[in-house]
Amino acid sequence: MSPRFESPQSSRGAVVQLGAEETAGLLTSAAAADALADALRAGLDPEGCPRRSAVDVPGGQLLLMPAASGAYAGVKIAGVAPANPALGLPRITGSYLLLDGPTLRPLALLDGAALTAVRTPAVSALALRHLAPAGRPLRMVLFGSGPQAYGHLEAVATVRELAEVVVVARNPRGAEELAAHARGTGLAARVGVAADVAGADLVVCCTTAREPLFDGRLVGPGATVVAVGSHEPDARETDTALVRRAAVYVESRAAALREAGDLLVPEAEGAIGPGHITGTLADLVAGRMPAGGPPSSPQLFKSVGMAWEDLAVAVALFQAAGATRET
């Protein structure tokens, strides 16, 4: 599908419009992960990224996520509406305004939910390039059956060969539909239960859960766990038992210690200290430390989602659509 927006050359100053349909197919998970890695290699420091602002409103939360780097700046205004899925509407809404960095002139308006649907799996894929076991087909347990679960299925499959996908979700119909979708792509897939993490090489959590999804004691020492579902200090998808024994990687220490309930709850319990974090995504991309930590430990990548990631992927989408800053 060709992007449907006014040609950048047709009217200088026109703002490119990239809706959900226009965004779909513009960027593969691998290309989005490359854009994130390129931003880090260019010197972007996630520790200095502006923090997310959140405002409670009757329908849920409004989030404001600004960032600037190099030739571009941007801001995402996102809505998180927990009641929307019951109404047949997306839980995540919003828009992303991409700006020219030096002049702050608006360049493009992107669908915020579509951007998030590309960005979050790409962050996980980049982490898994460095953390996931290599050299053999892997068994993945995937928690969730919403858009992020579908996105992560595709993203993980671009990073590692999958021997089997086990889908675990509170919605049995959604779980079976995702498993059927996976089978339709040629993967062996079935619906399972939380205890299936005991035999998993990869555990990927893409849910709205506020309490741990599985018993962390069951996760094998060579396994890698990715948790992306929450950015609130009192919500988590993984338990204290897993976090205490895992080598933990995050996008930013500062952001994780503000927002990652997966780490903050165990810290509040006295099970870990703030120095428990092993490394960051930037550390892995730069090769500043070997991936994996002690061979007797599982690995946990905890993502809260950051504004610099939205900016990097928004720029990649903008450029993939054939647009330039000369718009």
Side-chain angles (χ1 to χ4, degrees), residues 123-193:
V123 174
S124 298
L126 180 57
L128 288 173
R129 285 180 182 177
H130 300 275
L131 296 177
R136 58 184 173 85
L138 305 179
R139 182 170 180 262
M140 176 170 74
V141 175
L142 177 59
F143 285 88
S145 60
Q148 283 295 338
Y150 280 83
H152 275 77
L153 174 66
E154 176 186 352
V156 174
T158 68
V159 175
R160 292 292 186 269
E161 182 181 356
L162 296 176
E164 183 185 32
V165 177
V166 180
V167 180
V168 183
R170 62 183 177 182
N171 181 341
R173 179 177 178 181
E176 184 48 56
E177 288 176 351
L178 178 52
H181 172 79
R183 290 192 292 270
T185 68
L187 294 170
R190 63 176 176 86
V191 174
V193 297

Side-chain angles (χ1 to χ4, degrees), residues 59-133:
Q61 275 191 330
L62 289 179
L63 308 177
L64 186 68
M65 300 175 66
S69 180
Y72 295 92
V75 59
K76 183 165 74 174
I77 302 174
V80 182
N84 274 12
L87 303 173
L89 299 171
R91 180 175 178 270
I92 305 296
T93 66
S95 298
Y96 191 89
L97 181 62
L98 182 65
L99 308 168
D100 177 69
T103 66
L104 299 184
R105 179 171 52 90
L107 297 176
L109 186 66
L110 295 82
D111 182 280
L115 172 62
T116 304
V118 176
R119 175 263 275 169
T120 307
V123 174
S124 298
L126 180 57
L128 288 173
R129 285 180 182 177
H130 300 275
L131 296 177

Side-chain angles (χ1 to χ4, degrees), residues 231-299:
H231 61 265
E232 297 171 82
D234 59 349
R236 57 179 178 161
E237 294 174 295
T238 61
D239 66 6
T240 299
L242 174 68
V243 173
R244 185 167 45 209
R245 55 190 283 256
V248 176
Y249 296 86
V250 297
E251 297 140 301
S252 152
R253 284 181 168 84
L257 295 176
R258 283 194 308 265
E259 301 182 340
D262 296 69
L263 307 183
L264 292 173
V265 174
E267 185 179 341
E269 294 173 347
I272 64 169
H276 187 71
I277 293 171
T278 302
T280 67
L281 195 59
D283 292 330
L284 293 170
V285 169
R288 287 192 287 263
M289 61 174 58
S296 58
S297 300
Q299 300 170 103

